[in-house]
Structure formats: C-alpha cells, structure tokens
Amino acid sequence: NFKMGPKKAAPAKKKDNNPENGGELTPEERAKMFMLTCQALQLQLAERAEEASKALAAKREYASRVDQIARDYDEEKKMTFEITQDMTRQYKSMQEELLGRINKLEETIQDLNDRLAESDVRQERVLKDKNSIIQMKDDEIAELKAKMDDMAEEFGEMLRETLEKMRERIEISTNSYDGAELQVQQRIEELKMSDT
C-alpha cells in the first residue's frame, strides 16, 4: 500500500507536457485557443467600430452645428445690413429735409437784406424789425444745425454698436468652429494611437 510514492512521478511527466509548462498543444487545444483569440479580436474590432461610429457621429454633429452657426451669422449679417441701410436712408432723408429748411430760411434772410438794401426807408422801427427777423432766423438756423449735429452723433453711435455686435458674433462663430474641429481631430488621433 505504501508503493504510491513512485506512482506520483507519472503525473509529473504529464505536467511537463502541459501547454502552460511549454508543452505542445493538442489539435483540440489549438482550435480552442484560435477560437478564443478570434473571439477576442472580434470583440476588439466591435469596440473599435463603435468608437469610430461615435467619432463620425460627433463629427457630423459638429459639422451640423457649424453650418447652423454660419447660417445664423449670415442671417444676422443680412439683417444688420438691412437695418443699417434703413437707418442711413432715414438719416439722409431727415438731413435733406433740414438742409431744405435751412436753404429756405437763408433765402428769406437774403431776400430781406436785398429788399432793405434797395429801400430808402431809414426808419428805426424798420431797422429794428429787420434785425429782429434776422436774429430770429439765425437762431432757428443754429437750432436746426444743432439738431443735425445731434442726429449725426446718434447715428454714428448706433452704427458703432451695430458693427461691434457683428465683430463679437464673428469671434464667437470662429471660436465655436475652431473648438469643434479641434475636438474631432483629437478624437481621430486617439483612434489612430489605439489602433497601433
């Protein structure tokens, strides 16, 4: 019964033939190993395909967002241009109206001066009336010119604000586009590195 000791040497020889100890694989073991390797590669390929699909979907989303930003910018630019044109037309129309009134007032003053020069009337009342009328017309002209200056300053300020808003929108659109493109490029580089 105590002869069991020598029999233990036989499993030791089998252990040397174990693939884990450098022994040769049987056809069944090789087939199993190839199947497991194939399954692992298939899983890895599926993961990579899913990552690539997500990256392409993100790229399409960013491209769509960039297109939308570009369309919004074009629409805003068009609207700003139309508003600026309308404001310019209104300003020119008012300017022409005020200039017409000024010209008429200046013609009236010139007519009064011509009549007075041709007249032999030297009475003090006529002279005072003439000076009073001229002063009144000069005051009105000065008032109209002051209004024109105020309108020009207000128009210039509104135009500067409009151009500043356009500049800010251009910077936002550019930053949004650059950020989206950089994220997509970084994701593509990560996929390339993981493939190696």
Side-chain angles (χ1 to χ4, degrees), residues 57-69:
K59 182 180 179 181
R60 284 193 295 268
E61 181 182 353
Y62 287 135
S64 176
R65 288 174 59 188
V66 169
D67 290 340
Q68 184 62 44
I69 289 171

Side-chain angles (χ1 to χ4, degrees), residues 34-49:
F34 290 147
M35 186 179 298
L36 291 175
T37 303
C38 181
Q39 289 176 352
L41 290 173
Q42 287 176 343
L43 287 174
Q44 187 176 7
L45 178 61
E47 290 175 358
R48 296 292 172 83

Side-chain angles (χ1 to χ4, degrees), residues 84-125:
T84 303
Q85 276 192 326
D86 185 57
M87 289 169 57
T88 303
R89 281 193 298 269
Q90 291 181 12
Y91 171 74
K92 287 183 177 180
S93 176
M94 295 179 71
Q95 185 183 44
E96 289 174 0
E97 182 182 351
L98 291 173
L99 286 172
R101 291 176 64 184
I102 289 172
N103 290 334
K104 286 182 180 179
L105 290 171
E106 289 177 344
E107 289 174 3
T108 302
I109 293 172
Q110 186 63 43
D111 184 59
L112 289 171
N113 287 330
D114 292 344
R115 288 182 184 182
L116 186 60
E118 293 172 359
S119 177
D120 294 330
V121 179
R122 302 298 181 191
Q123 296 179 8
E124 185 176 357
R125 183 181 60 81

Side-chain angles (χ1 to χ4, degrees), residues 116-160:
L116 186 60
E118 293 172 359
S119 177
D120 294 330
V121 179
R122 302 298 181 191
Q123 296 179 8
E124 185 176 357
R125 183 181 60 81
V126 175
L127 184 59
K128 286 183 179 180
D129 289 345
K130 173 258 189 186
N131 290 336
S132 177
I133 291 172
I134 291 175
Q135 183 61 47
M136 182 176 64
K137 299 298 182 182
D138 286 340
D139 291 344
E140 191 172 356
I141 289 172
E143 182 180 355
L144 290 173
K145 287 182 177 179
K147 286 183 180 179
M148 284 181 60
D149 292 339
D150 292 340
M151 285 174 56
E153 184 177 355
E154 183 180 356
F155 176 79
E157 183 63 26
M158 291 173 68
L159 191 59
R160 280 193 295 272

